[in-house]
């Protein structure tokens, strides 16, 4: 398994953001975490990236604990946070070179050019990040998450705020990336899951309430919206 989560709970003070969540994600799968705002999606993703350790339970990436082997597991994970924190006053190449240096990549210049090409940034590659549209900034975010060729890619709301054309482009890119590695993405929009994922995990109030193929969810009467309504929450 690329990612194994066992009996994970996460508390912030008295509040349980996640309660006893277990999940196995194999390689070459695009998995969608779907749930309303506040469900616990970002918290689960941060635990996989090693950004924080779970209050209870274990998280493993490629068979290693993110708590006891933080450096090795971080090398295996690429992360695009919800508010893609790219440096607006840096040039694209300058920023990606900086990220490549943080990962101690030896062939930095080649790798930066390769990843710029892969995410479709070549025509914009001379620009400052602050001069880019939201869709191209999201590509820079994907480039920094992919530059060290991780096995697992974590994308927090990767398509939020994009216009319809940008949306289609980023969806295609995510699907292509997911052919060769594990992708876990979050969204609160059912259509995003249907467009990009093979498998969907529903999270509600910190609990994993459904885990199935997108196909079988879509075949249910009323689809995912009906499932959420039955749980007392709108998607
Ligand atoms: P989602 O990504 O599904 O919108 P989150 O994982 O961001 O949900 O949040 C789950 C719950 O945990 C929310 O109630 C949120 O307010 C709370 N939470 C998340 N991060 C923190 C934090 N650092 N401190 C306190 N509460 C937090």
């Amino acid at each position: 398994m690329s990612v194994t989560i066992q009996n994970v709970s996460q508390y912030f003070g008295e509040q349980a953001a996640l309660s006893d969540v277990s999940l196995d994600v194999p390689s070459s799968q695009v998995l969608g975490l779907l749930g309303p705002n506040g469900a616990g999606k970002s918290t689960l993703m941060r635990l996989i990236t090693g950004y924080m350790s779970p209050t209870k339970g274990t998280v493993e990436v490629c068979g290693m604990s993110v708590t006891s082997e933080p450096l090795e597991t971080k090398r295996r994970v690429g992360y695009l946070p919800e508010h893609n924190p790219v440096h607006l006053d840096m040039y694209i190449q300058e920023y990606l070179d900086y990220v490549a240096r943080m990962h101690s990549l030896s062939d930095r210049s080649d790798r930066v050019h390769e990843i710029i090409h892969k995410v479709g940034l070549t025509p914009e590659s001379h620009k400052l990040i602050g001069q880019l549209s939201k869709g191209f900034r999201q590509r820079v975010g994907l480039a920094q998450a992919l530059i060290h060729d991780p096995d697992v890619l974590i994308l927090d709301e990767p398509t939020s705020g994009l216009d319809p054309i940008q949306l289609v482009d980023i969806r295609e890119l995510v699907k292509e990336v997911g052919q060769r590695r594990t992708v876990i993405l979050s969204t609160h929009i059912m259509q995003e899951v249907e467009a990009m994922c093979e498998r969907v995990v529903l999270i509600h109030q910190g609990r994993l309430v459904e885990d199935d193929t997108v196909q079988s969810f879509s075949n249910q009467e009323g689809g995912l919206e009906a499932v959420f309504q039955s749980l007392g929450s709108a998607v």
Side-chain angles (χ1 to χ4, degrees):
M1 286 295 156
S2 284
V3 177
T4 304
I5 295 164
Q6 280 183 317
N7 305 108
V8 160
S9 296
Q10 180 67 40
Y11 289 88
F12 294 112
E14 295 287 295
Q15 189 193 1
L18 293 172
S19 302
D20 200 24
V21 169
S22 295
L23 183 66
D24 282 328
V25 193
S27 54
S28 303
Q29 181 171 77
V30 182
L31 179 142
L33 291 178
L34 183 70
N37 287 328
K41 305 181 295 296
S42 298
T43 302
L44 186 56
M45 296 181 122
R46 284 194 204 119
L47 291 172
I48 299 168
T49 65
Y51 178 86
M52 57 192 179
S53 289
T55 317
K56 284 188 197 154
T58 56
V59 179
E60 288 183 0
V61 169
C62 302
M64 295 172 288
S65 159
V66 297
T67 308
S68 57
E69 298 187 67
L71 289 179
E72 197 48 47
T73 53
K74 280 192 177 81
R75 271 188 208 118
R76 309 293 185 102
V77 177
Y79 179 37
L80 176 63
E82 185 180 356
H83 302 291
N84 182 8
V86 285
H87 297 275
L88 301 183
D89 54 350
M90 286 178 95
Y91 287 94
I92 296 173
Q93 295 188 21
E94 181 190 14
Y95 170 65
L96 293 174
D97 183 68
Y98 161 74
V99 178
R101 217 173 317 150
M102 284 199 305
H103 287 294
S104 307
L105 301 185
S106 51
D107 50 349
R108 288 204 319 267
S109 174
D110 288 351
R111 189 61 192 144
V112 166
H113 284 103
E114 200 181 320
I115 206 73
I116 282 176
H117 176 69
K118 183 168 181 58
V119 302
L121 274 170
T122 307
E124 307 284 301
S125 62
H126 59 286
K127 290 190 180 170
L128 282 169
I129 295 171
Q131 294 170 333
L132 300 174
S133 67
K134 170 118 185 152
F136 278 111
R137 280 186 208 176
Q138 206 63 341
R139 285 170 194 257
V140 177
L142 276 170
Q144 66 75 29
L146 285 168
I147 199 159
H148 56 303
D149 199 18
D151 296 306
V152 177
L153 188 62
I154 305 289
L155 308 174
D156 202 346
E157 308 257 0
T159 52
S160 112
L162 300 182
D163 72 31
I165 293 168
Q166 294 168 341
L167 198 67
V168 171
D169 288 350
I170 297 289
R171 281 175 179 172
E172 286 307 312
L173 197 51
V174 169
K175 280 200 284 191
E176 191 201 317
V177 165
Q179 286 172 1
R180 229 172 39 81
R181 63 193 97 217
T182 303
V183 178
I184 301 177
L185 63 90
S186 70
T187 177
H188 56 278
I189 303 166
M190 179 175 148
Q191 287 80 359
E192 291 308 290
V193 171
E194 288 177 331
M196 289 184 279
C197 307
E198 298 138 49
R199 177 178 168 198
V200 58
V201 164
L202 263 62
I203 302 191
H204 184 252
Q205 295 177 349
R207 292 186 185 276
L208 199 157
V209 290
E210 296 262 4
D211 179 355
D212 213 333
T213 61
V214 170
Q215 183 77 46
S216 69
F217 270 112
S218 302
N219 291 342
Q220 284 184 32
E221 204 173 325
L224 293 168
E225 271 149 5
V227 175
F228 271 106
Q229 270 155 20
S230 73
L231 293 167
S233 251
V235 179

